[in-house]
Amino acid sequence: MTMHDEMTSPRIANETAARNRRRRLFRLILPAFPPFNIYSRIAKTTTALGPVCVGTAASKLENWDVEIIDENNCSSKFCPKDEKGLPDHDALQRLRPADVVGFYGSMTSAIPRLYHLAERYHVLGAKTIAGGYHVRSLPDEALDSFIDVVALGESETIIRDVLSAFEHNEAPLHVPGICFNRNGSHVFNDDMTPIDDLDGLPFPDFSLVRYARLNIYPIGRTRGCNMNCEFCAVKDKSRCASPEWMVAQIAHLIETRKAREFFDVSDHFCASGVEESIRFCRLLAEYLEKVGVRIEMTVQIRLTDARHEELLEAMREAGIYNLAIGIESCIDEELTLMRKGYHEKDIYALLDKYHKYGFFVHGMMIFGYPAKPEHRIEVSLQQRMNSFSNFIKHLDTAQILLPVPLPGTELTERLDSEGRLYHLDYQYYDGQFLLFEPDEGIDARELQHSVITLMSGFYRPGYLVKLINAVLIFFPSIVFPRAATLLTFRARYIVRGFRSWYHKHFRNNAIRFAGSFIVRKWKSYFRKSDFTDQLERMRIAFANEPRKQDPSFNQEKSK
């Protein structure tokens, strides 16, 4: 053998081994919501950011292919479907067998579907891993429901280590931030350190999402939230990417996927501070002007951020028009319980400031918030309804939900300690169904019906008349106010008039009219379901027990 042969033989052997090494498939699934869910319509145009970030991290592994299937956005004719119109996972396994299947476990209402799929994939021989707020709060439940590994922290790092262990047929013994089944026991590894360097993460790769139609692209500049609301599961300390990284991510999506509509999933747009948020907006506005592109962006922001006028000006320049604000309540006693940090008298002035700058405000509200034994709410149900009904008139769009006792929240712990939880199926944990014993003096059936009444009053068919007036009367008078404008085609005046007409007369009326069909569908589904019977059984059962708000109840329970 020559020296050349001696040098090339190991190289040839290594190349041959690499070619023969079987590539593996990691399939990441976002389970379908229950048959009717408040997020069902918007979910058909977007997806969740977290699973895309995890899938992107996994795709960097040498021997792994990755695909993401969002069951809520899966309209492609190429996806095999079952009799319910959902992806047929048996058929998918025959077409492309997945070695490991991951599940997005943040939405409690989708957990029954998640566990059903986990069992099916277990039967089909795949390993399973799940992450997200629900399974992170209840890891033992997940491990007992055919999940092999539960990620207890942010999963970009976890998924790479777990997949590497599975690739070598090893248990993930030394992977931090997980729990897993081993010899019939649940093993908990130490929590991993949260990811602080968000700039070091790769841009989310949306091409991994198969069969989906993406019109709205989720992006995220911050993680965690420092607000500490009682009902919220997000308790991580806020960490923020640099404005430069975020603008680069948006530019990447605009240039590679022709994205024009974005939703910033950050829990608080200004978590990095007002100055950093202003800098982000100005950098984005500069980029958009340079490339000649207009975008539409929705952000989640605090009501109190309206006090910073320089921020509001910068947001408008950056194409941010829609604000999702967790106002939660317009009743002082409830705002104090929620720890929101403001009072009813502050809300109207702050909303007026946002509207002055031309923002559309989507107000997210919680109706019927439960009192504490030592902190009673001296407001009747009818008074609460009147307050909410008058208040939501100041919003462009509104979302009114019942309090949801999500696993891992302080609200759930409190209601459980007071003996007030209704132990119902997870499919009802989406804010449309009453899941706890109401305050003393409030009937459960009336509280359930109140939310439906409020939403029916806000989104109603009568807005069709206003919509017709907007098109037939206001459109010609605002867009073409003078014949000279039409004849000379002064484009800038026509565009300015169109925007004014759209903002003031068309948008809200169109949304409220379209929303009436969603509310009607919700009412129809509610009537056909057996939830009313379940609620009645719970109401009767609790009527025969001591008042839960009575401190003596907790003392007796602790004995």
Side-chain angles (χ1 to χ4, degrees):
M1 181 179 290
T2 65
M3 182 178 295
H4 176 74
D5 292 334
E6 291 177 352
M7 294 177 62
T8 57
S9 293
R11 177 177 60 82
I12 294 173
N14 289 337
E15 290 177 351
T16 302
R19 283 196 300 269
N20 293 333
R21 187 181 299 128
R22 186 177 71 85
R23 294 191 64 79
R24 292 164 172 80
L25 175 62
F26 172 55
R27 178 177 297 137
L28 184 52
I29 300 171
L30 287 73
F33 300 142
F36 181 78
N37 186 277
I38 57 170
Y39 306 110
S40 297
R41 182 173 177 273
I42 191 68
K44 297 181 186 299
T45 62
T46 186
T47 191
L49 179 61
V52 180
C53 293
V54 175
T56 302
S59 70
K60 305 302 180 183
L61 293 171
E62 181 181 0
N63 299 318
W64 288 85
D65 295 322
V66 177
E67 67 178 19
I68 301 171
I69 296 178
D70 186 342
E71 292 196 318
N72 300 293
N73 185 355
C74 197
S75 57
S76 171
K77 65 180 181 180
F78 299 106
C79 179
K81 303 288 180 62
D82 61 17
E83 65 280 358
K84 296 181 179 179
L86 295 173
D88 186 333
H89 292 273
D90 285 45
L92 285 173
Q93 277 298 82
R94 290 192 296 269
L95 290 170
R96 297 185 305 278
D99 299 88
V100 180
V101 179
F103 295 98
Y104 178 58
S106 274
M107 299 294 292
T108 298
S109 60
I111 290 297
R113 173 69 176 173
L114 188 157
Y115 290 157
H116 168 75
L117 292 178
E119 181 179 10
R120 189 64 201 147
Y121 274 105
H122 175 79
V123 172
L124 295 172
K127 295 286 188 181
T128 56
I129 179 171
Y133 285 109
H134 181 98
V135 296
R136 188 189 305 180
S137 299
L138 300 173
D140 291 305
E141 173 192 274
L143 293 177
D144 289 335
S145 302
F146 301 97
I147 298 296
D148 295 313
V149 178
V150 174
L152 301 174
E154 293 167 307
S155 300
E156 286 96 336
T157 301
I158 290 173
I159 193 60
R160 291 196 297 267
D161 293 338
V162 171
L163 290 181
S164 296
F166 285 159
E167 181 180 347
H168 296 94
N169 295 316
E170 298 173 354
L173 296 174
H174 306 294
V175 178
I178 67 169
C179 61
F180 57 96
N181 280 311
R182 184 170 175 79
N183 299 326
S185 300
H186 297 173
V187 179
F188 287 76
N189 289 355
D190 294 336
D191 289 343
M192 63 179 294
T193 303
I195 300 173
D196 289 322
D197 181 19
L198 301 185
D199 285 18
L201 297 174
F203 293 155
D205 184 358
F206 288 94
S207 67
L208 299 174
V209 186
R210 299 193 64 155
Y211 308 126
R213 181 186 66 182
L214 296 177
N215 296 330
I216 303 172
Y217 284 83
I219 54 177
R221 191 167 63 91
T222 72
R223 294 189 182 186
C225 182
N226 298 328
M227 293 300 106
N228 198 34
C229 296
E230 185 191 35
F231 55 84
C232 185
V234 181
K235 301 297 183 183
D236 304 336
K237 179 183 177 183
S238 290
R239 291 147 291 135
C240 307
S242 68
E244 290 81 2
W245 184 88
M246 187 63 167
V247 173
Q249 180 189 158
I250 295 171
H252 175 74
L253 290 170
I254 289 174
E255 295 164 15
T256 63
R257 298 187 64 87
K258 299 182 180 180
R260 294 296 184 269
E261 192 169 353
F262 300 89
F263 179 72
D264 186 351
V265 301
S266 306
D267 288 282
H268 181 199
F269 180 70
C270 293
S272 60
V274 173
E275 292 301 321
E276 279 286 274
S277 300
I278 292 174
R279 192 160 72 87
F280 159 69
C281 291
R282 288 176 175 166
L283 287 172
L284 179 58
E286 183 181 333
Y287 165 77
L288 294 174
E289 183 178 4
K290 181 179 179 180
V291 298
V293 169
R294 290 180 61 85
I295 67 170
E296 185 171 334
M297 185 182 297
T298 301
V299 302
Q300 299 186 109
I301 196 168
R302 290 272 294 174
L303 182 66
T304 52
D305 289 329
R307 296 166 180 160
H308 307 286
E309 296 198 21
E310 188 179 0
L311 169 68
L312 304 185
E313 292 174 356
M315 289 167 62
R316 286 308 311 267
E317 292 173 5
I320 298 172
Y321 295 97
N322 305 317
L323 309 181
I325 304 178
I327 301 170
E328 316 306 359
S329 179
C330 54
I331 299 171
D332 281 341
E333 293 92 331
E334 293 182 344
L335 291 169
T336 300
L337 278 169
M338 298 176 190
R339 303 198 290 261
K340 293 302 297 182
Y342 50 78
H343 299 284
E344 179 188 359
K345 63 181 177 61
D346 306 316
I347 297 177
Y348 296 97
L350 295 171
L351 282 177
D352 287 344
K353 184 68 70 67
Y354 279 128
H355 284 136
K356 173 187 173 183
Y357 278 84
F359 292 104
F360 295 117
V361 177
H362 175 68
M364 297 177 286
M365 310 290 291
I366 300 176
F367 186 77
Y369 202 77
K372 292 182 178 180
E374 69 279 8
H375 190 151
R376 295 179 182 271
I377 300 177
E378 302 297 337
V379 182
S380 69
L381 181 62
Q382 187 59 51
Q383 288 173 321
R384 294 191 199 193
M385 283 193 66
N386 293 340
S387 296
F388 269 67
S389 181
N390 292 329
F391 172 75
I392 58 179
K393 295 175 184 177
H394 296 266
L395 303 173
D396 296 292
T397 55
Q399 171 184 296
I400 305 173
L401 301 176
L402 290 160
V404 184
L406 295 172
T409 63
E410 295 175 64
L411 174 62
T412 300
E413 293 177 2
R414 172 164 72 85
L415 291 175
D416 189 33
S417 68
E418 296 170 5
R420 297 175 64 181
L421 285 180
Y422 294 167
H423 296 286
L424 298 171
D425 192 274
Y426 285 142
Q427 65 172 311
Y428 299 120
Y429 278 61
D430 64 358
Q432 299 175 102
F433 304 94
L434 183 60
L435 300 171
F436 61 91
E437 180 72 357
D439 293 348
E440 187 172 3
I442 296 179
D443 183 87
R445 295 166 299 182
E446 293 179 359
L447 178 54
Q448 174 69 62
H449 184 69
S450 296
V451 174
I452 300 176
T453 301
L454 286 169
M455 290 293 282
S456 299
F458 190 83
Y459 297 100
R460 60 181 188 271
Y463 278 100
L464 177 61
V465 176
K466 294 186 177 182
L467 194 58
I468 293 173
N469 289 337
V471 175
L472 297 182
I473 298 175
F474 292 108
F475 183 83
S477 65
I478 293 175
V479 180
F480 303 116
R482 294 188 301 271
T485 302
L486 181 59
L487 293 174
T488 59
F489 198 72
R490 297 177 183 176
R492 66 179 183 275
Y493 295 119
I494 294 175
V495 171
R496 188 183 304 166
F498 178 83
R499 291 177 184 168
S500 175
W501 167 79
Y502 177 80
H503 281 226
K504 294 180 180 179
H505 299 282
F506 181 79
R507 179 189 183 273
N508 289 356
N509 290 325
I511 292 176
R512 294 185 187 185
F513 172 65
S516 68
F517 293 96
I518 298 175
V519 173
R520 185 170 64 181
K521 187 176 179 181
W522 174 18
K523 293 164 70 174
S524 174
Y525 174 79
F526 186 82
R527 286 193 298 267
K528 293 177 182 177
S529 73
D530 65 345
F531 183 78
T532 302
D533 295 334
Q534 295 187 54
L535 188 63
E536 180 66 11
R537 288 195 295 269
M538 289 290 177
R539 188 188 68 83
I540 294 173
F542 273 73
N544 297 324
E545 294 182 4
R547 287 307 308 170
K548 314 304 176 297
Q549 294 89 341
D550 186 346
S552 62
F553 172 82
N554 293 326
Q555 296 172 6
E556 185 65 27
K557 183 180 179 183
S558 65
K559 295 179 182 179

